Amino acid sequence: MTTPRLIQNFSGAQALLIAPPSTATDVLAGTLMKLGLTVASVLPAGEAPWLDFEILDPEHHIVIVDGDLPLPGLAASAVPDLPPVPVVGLVGVEAPSRLKGLLQLGATGLLRKPIHGASVYAALFLAVNEHNRRRLLEERLARHEERRRGRRHVVKAILRLMQEHGLDDDAAYETLRRDAMRARQPLEAYCEALVRARPSVAAPALSPRLARS
């Protein structure tokens, strides 16, 4: 089973810091640069912060956001459960509503204010690697769901071969599996194309084994 690569070195990454200028953010920015990251502020003075997650590079960017800020541009309804890049939340006031906001934003790591330089690496380590782990699980789940939806085409294709060639269900399945391999296609995609390309015929009743699959 594929596992995500463990990230231990953040040199070359860019931290997008969404926090008001302060001594704490100076400490944070200095520590991030010591770890090899570049730092960019996305909080224009006097304006509400806004960040378009879709233009960020998952392999390059890390967002660090102050959970004590009102962030209309980062409302939970505006982003998916897991954002495309890792998010670290800065926590000052541990109000449930602010923690909930960070959770809905997809934060996988937290830094407690006031910020101590010694805690920054651990927060980055957890945030980036937990984000990568969750992203892999979501991708794997999506692939399983796609295959599950495709199973109905496999069943239809099996029934068609049984009817047209007098095969039993095992032989029909094996024929389809070999043909899909020769075509270098997933079985589900091959069967869907087969079913869509050929006129439908009356299907026989499902065998007990197929009915259970």
Side-chain angles (χ1 to χ4, degrees), residues 87-163:
V87 174
V88 178
L90 303 182
V91 178
V93 179
E94 293 183 344
S97 60
R98 294 181 182 180
L99 294 174
K100 179 182 176 183
L102 288 173
L103 183 66
Q104 290 176 319
L105 197 58
T108 49
L110 296 176
L111 262 175
R112 187 80 167 85
K113 295 190 295 186
I115 297 169
H116 299 285
S119 60
V120 173
Y121 177 79
L124 285 182
F125 184 91
L126 290 176
V128 171
N129 289 294
E130 175 62 14
H131 177 272
N132 291 345
R133 188 186 70 85
R134 289 178 56 184
R135 185 172 63 178
L136 181 67
L137 290 175
E138 288 194 353
E139 290 172 351
R140 190 174 296 162
L141 183 62
R143 287 197 297 270
H144 282 311
E145 179 60 22
E146 184 178 354
R147 292 195 65 185
R148 187 192 65 80
R149 287 196 299 268
R151 296 306 293 178
R152 63 192 179 95
H153 298 298
V154 176
V155 173
K156 287 181 181 179
I158 289 174
L159 293 174
R160 183 161 299 178
L161 261 63
M162 291 171 64
Q163 186 180 33

